[in-house]
Amino acid sequence: MSLVTLVDVLEKAEGGKYAVGAFNCNNMEIVKSIAEAAEKENAPVIIQASQGAINYAGLNYITALVKTAAEEVDIPIVLHLDHGTDLDQIVRCIRYGFTSVMIDGSKLPFEENISLTRKVVEIAKAVGVSVEAELGRIGGTEDDIHVSEKDALFTDPDEASVFVKETGVDALAVAIGTAHGQYKGEPKLDFERLEKIARKVSCPLVLHGSSGVSDESIRKAIKLGIRKVNIDTNIRESFVGTIREFLNAHPNEIDPRKVLAPAQRKATEVIREKIRIFGSSGMA
Ligand code: G3H
Ligand code: 13P
Ligand code: ZN
């Protein structure tokens, strides 16, 4: 089927109190893994590309790959720009056929984040494209966040309420203790904060940096209002890890199909498992 918007899938997720998986892609194998996993689970899915992925693969390739994947399967697929920071890039993605974009103005002062996000919403809404924004700072696992910095860096529930009303975004990424990349220890999520944000904000909430967060914490976050869960690192680990194992066992193999096929199968398994945890299995 043709691509759908983030609003299409998140409205249903809100009704059913589950979350839709948003998986990062960089190449054909990973796009296929995501689409096949979602098809096998009969689940809606978000395939997202970061600016880095677009620089690597090319906007035309990424768009064509995901559109082709959507044509091959009978489940709703959203093509989403992950962590867009550049207005020109966002407009290019919309022009190529992305059905959803993220504007990440989280490094900007509050008022500037509002005004940039509002501009993106104006442009995207005019052509029926959904918009996710970010408030608070979701860093990398390498940024050591001290307890004393939590209030400054995590999403403030009152600010979130003002932000969503002023911008009209369709989804909001919140900083509640997750980080991008591989965690050194077990991440501790601020569920109290999430509960307060969910009470004050009308749009669906997004959890970034979800690889390495325990299944139990993910389920609890979904119970409290998370409707989109972003996973990249777990795909990288399974995909590249399988390639590494294969090449260790077959150091003389030169056929890329033989090297990449087991990696693609492994990534599909990992994504299926995530979809089941998010509760979106059977919800297509
Ligand atoms: O949020 C970050 C995603 O994992 C994408 O990472 O910018 O290295 O493609 P990337
Ligand atoms: P992880 O790589 O930590 O899973 O985070 C993914 C993400 O948030 C993409 O925006
Ligand atoms: Zn992210």
Side-chain angles (χ1 to χ4, degrees):
M1 62 191 277
S2 48
L3 294 168
V4 301
T5 68
L6 191 65
V7 169
D8 291 330
V9 297
L10 294 192
E11 263 178 10
K12 283 193 187 155
E14 184 55 43
K17 305 289 173 217
Y18 59 87
V20 182
F23 301 99
N24 285 72
C25 70
N26 291 284
N27 60 14
M28 181 194 73
E29 284 74 15
I30 295 175
V31 169
K32 283 182 86 174
S33 291
I34 301 166
E36 284 170 15
E39 186 184 36
K40 283 180 180 144
E41 291 300 324
N42 194 31
V45 78
I46 299 150
I47 304 185
Q48 54 189 14
S50 68
Q51 292 178 153
I54 291 168
N55 289 342
Y56 170 74
L59 188 50
N60 208 1
Y61 276 98
I62 288 282
T63 314
L65 287 169
V66 178
K67 281 186 181 168
T68 304
E71 279 163 20
E72 290 288 314
V73 295
D74 199 21
I75 45 151
I77 295 184
V78 180
L79 171 54
H80 176 78
L81 170 67
D82 188 31
H83 291 285
T85 51
D86 177 49
L87 193 59
D88 290 355
Q89 173 73 283
I90 286 173
V91 172
R92 276 194 296 274
C93 286
I94 293 174
R95 180 136 197 241
Y96 270 76
F98 278 53
T99 51
S100 178
V101 291
M102 175 180 188
I103 169 66
D104 179 357
S106 63
K107 287 197 176 76
L108 300 171
F110 185 62
E111 289 300 334
E112 284 177 43
N113 190 357
I114 288 184
S115 84
L116 177 62
T117 302
R118 202 188 267 150
K119 201 179 274 178
V120 171
V121 170
E122 247 174 54
I123 295 168
K125 285 274 163 77
V127 287
V129 167
S130 311
V131 180
E132 171 186 342
E134 177 173 326
L135 190 62
R137 296 283 285 278
I138 304 158
T141 46
E142 67 282 1
D143 313 330
D144 261 330
I145 295 182
H146 299 286
V147 182
S148 57
E149 297 169 306
K150 260 176 62 172
D151 267 339
L153 297 172
F154 284 10
T155 308
D156 177 81
D158 292 314
E159 278 192 355
S161 161
V162 173
F163 186 88
V164 170
K165 279 187 199 131
E166 298 254 320
T167 58
V169 286
D170 300 305
L172 182 70
V174 291
I176 56 162
T178 57
H180 296 110
Q182 290 178 311
Y183 292 96
K184 289 177 209 115
E186 165 96 32
K188 287 205 173 24
L189 273 58
D190 188 341
F191 291 113
E192 225 173 280
R193 185 180 296 265
L194 174 60
E195 208 167 357
K196 280 188 195 147
I197 299 169
R199 261 206 306 271
K200 290 182 181 245
V201 164
S202 51
C203 73
L205 302 176
V206 183
L207 191 68
H208 284 243
S210 307
S211 300
V213 178
S214 71
D215 298 351
E216 193 195 342
S217 292
I218 294 278
R219 286 196 186 98
K220 188 164 174 190
I222 293 170
K223 215 172 238 171
L224 295 175
I226 292 291
R227 297 287 166 253
K228 172 175 181 273
V229 180
N230 285 14
I231 299 281
D232 186 1
T233 298
N234 282 155
I235 299 177
R236 295 178 180 202
E237 287 166 343
S238 61
F239 191 78
V240 180
T242 307
I243 292 173
R244 193 171 285 122
E245 268 169 33
F246 184 90
L247 287 176
N248 282 340
H250 307 89
N252 297 322
E253 183 55 66
I254 59 149
D255 184 340
R257 296 165 299 187
K258 293 202 172 122
V259 178
L260 295 174
Q264 201 214 303
R265 283 196 294 274
K266 182 67 189 171
T268 306
E269 269 174 44
V270 168
I271 296 164
R272 284 189 73 172
E273 176 61 24
K274 294 290 174 192
I275 288 173
R276 290 197 282 264
I277 293 161
F278 304 160
S280 53
S281 203
M283 301 298 180

